């Protein structure tokens, strides 16, 4: 049995490369829940506190704040934060509904994930229209 | 009471985190709806409406409750992310300490804004 004296070791594909796998919609909504949450912590909270402080301190700082957020780049940042807040809120609502054992089967879970993603983008679009 | 032998090795904060993330989320949801309602009711927010809103003690308390919920919610979330992706213990703990300090500083800033005599 000369042909079998060496064990056949073929490199098996270990498919854990998350960027190579096509992610199902619930997975996309889930990772965006994390990313949006981190974004809200890193950028959202300081921007919120700074904005509230400036807008309340005096008429002058209020005017400065209004001028600052009128800048196109600032609007882009605010729009990004608006998406993060809206998506995070909707994805959280989806969790709360699923905690009540509603929509747990796969087709329903996929549908609610798609609704979360699309509704988040639509509401962000409304914010964009209001901003510009 | 839970049996300590059965649960040996568990830090026990899993279900508590689960609950607190939801309680703080609902508080923030209600506050968000309140703000949305105020904005829609007034057809936008000018400085007069904005100022008068924060002149109310009840609204300031509600805002404080929102911010505390937000900061605690952020702590649980960021800690979960750190535990998932940052394996070296020293780096992870350092980041967690920095996050705690930042969140406490934010709480102080919030108090300054709300009751700093604007």
């Amino acid at each position: 049995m000369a042909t079998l004296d060496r064990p056949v070791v073929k490199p098996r594909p270990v498919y854990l490369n998350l960027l190579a796998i096509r992610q199902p919609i619930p997975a996309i909504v889930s990772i965006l829940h994390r990313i949006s949450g981190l974004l809200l912590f890193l950028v959202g909270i300081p921007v919120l506190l700074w904005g509230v402080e400036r807008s309340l301190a005096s008429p002058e700082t209020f005017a400065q704040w209004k001028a600052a957020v009128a800048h196109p780049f600032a609007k882009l940042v605010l729009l990004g934060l608006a998406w993060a807040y809206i998506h995070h809120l909707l994805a959280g609502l989806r969790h709360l509904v699923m905690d009540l054992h509603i929509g747990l089967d796969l087709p329903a879970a996929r549908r609610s994930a798609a609704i979360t993603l699309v509704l988040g983008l639509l509401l962000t679009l409304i914010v964009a229209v209001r901003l510009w | 009471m839970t049996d300590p032998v059965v649960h040996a090795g568990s830090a026990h904060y899993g279900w508590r985190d689960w609950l607190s993330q939801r309680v703080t989320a609902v508080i923030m949801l209600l506050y968000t709806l309140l703000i949305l309602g105020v904005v829609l009711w007034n057809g936008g927010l000018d400085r007069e409406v904005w100022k008068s809103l924060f002149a109310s003690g009840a609204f300031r308390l509600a805002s404080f409750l929102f911010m505390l919920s937000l900061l605690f919610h952020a702590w649980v979330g960021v800690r979960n992310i750190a535990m998932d992706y940052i394996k070296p213990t020293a780096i992870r703990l350092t980041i967690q300490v920095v996050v705690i300090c930042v969140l406490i500083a934010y709480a102080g800033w919030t108090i300054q804004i709300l009751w700093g005599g604007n």
Side-chain angles (χ1 to χ4, degrees):
Chain A
M1 293 293 154
T3 52
L4 283 181
D5 58 359
R6 262 190 300 170
V8 182
V9 182
K10 284 209 294 187
R12 307 297 303 166
V14 181
Y15 248 105
L16 287 176
N17 182 356
L18 292 175
L19 299 173
I21 306 171
R22 201 176 73 86
Q23 298 290 342
I25 290 184
I28 294 170
V29 168
S30 177
I31 192 63
L32 287 178
H33 199 178
R34 283 211 147 169
I35 293 171
S36 59
L38 193 62
L39 215 65
L40 290 169
F41 164 71
L42 291 175
V43 187
I45 297 177
V47 166
L48 172 72
L49 286 172
W50 169 79
V52 172
E53 185 192 53
R54 292 289 86 189
S55 62
L56 284 176
S58 71
E60 291 76 34
T61 58
F62 182 80
Q64 283 168 7
W65 170 78
K66 269 201 103 164
V69 295
H71 191 278
F73 178 72
K75 283 185 179 180
L76 218 57
V77 172
L78 288 183
L79 191 64
L81 290 175
W83 169 80
Y85 195 88
I86 293 166
H87 179 86
H88 201 88
L89 191 152
L90 292 176
L93 265 182
R94 178 169 174 266
H95 269 310
L96 290 178
V97 171
M98 289 175 110
D99 285 344
L100 302 173
H101 299 280
I102 298 169
L104 289 183
D105 58 299
L106 194 51
R110 284 204 175 124
R111 210 178 315 125
S112 63
I115 291 171
T116 300
L117 197 62
V118 173
L119 193 60
L121 292 171
L122 282 179
L123 291 174
T124 306
L125 194 67
I126 294 178
V127 176
V129 171
R130 294 279 322 217
L131 270 174
W132 271 278
Chain B
M1 280 303 289
T2 49
D3 183 349
V5 177
V6 172
H7 292 275
S10 162
H12 283 276
Y13 53 61
W15 81 271
R16 219 168 46 207
D17 280 1
W18 178 89
L19 187 65
S20 75
Q21 271 320 62
R22 276 145 186 83
V23 171
T24 50
V26 169
I27 292 172
M28 289 188 283
L29 176 66
L30 294 175
Y31 184 83
T32 302
L33 292 176
L34 172 71
I35 294 290
L36 205 61
V38 169
V39 171
L40 291 177
W41 179 257
N42 290 288
L45 278 180
D46 57 16
R47 195 177 134 79
E48 292 314 304
V49 176
W50 193 232
K51 278 292 282 191
S52 66
L53 205 55
F54 279 93
S56 149
F59 182 77
R60 275 190 282 202
L61 269 182
S63 302
F64 190 56
L65 190 61
F66 168 83
M67 274 313 292
L68 287 188
S69 296
L70 176 55
L71 297 176
F72 195 74
H73 193 94
W75 162 241
V76 174
V78 170
R79 195 198 51 200
N80 280 349
I81 291 176
M83 286 196 298
D84 279 354
Y85 303 120
I86 304 169
K87 299 303 175 192
T89 308
I91 298 176
R92 187 176 65 248
L93 290 183
T94 305
I95 289 177
Q96 289 181 353
V97 168
V98 170
V99 169
I100 289 175
C101 292
V102 168
L103 291 174
I104 292 175
Y106 283 157
W109 192 5
T110 303
I111 294 171
Q112 281 179 2
I113 293 172
L114 290 174
W115 288 285
N118 279 309

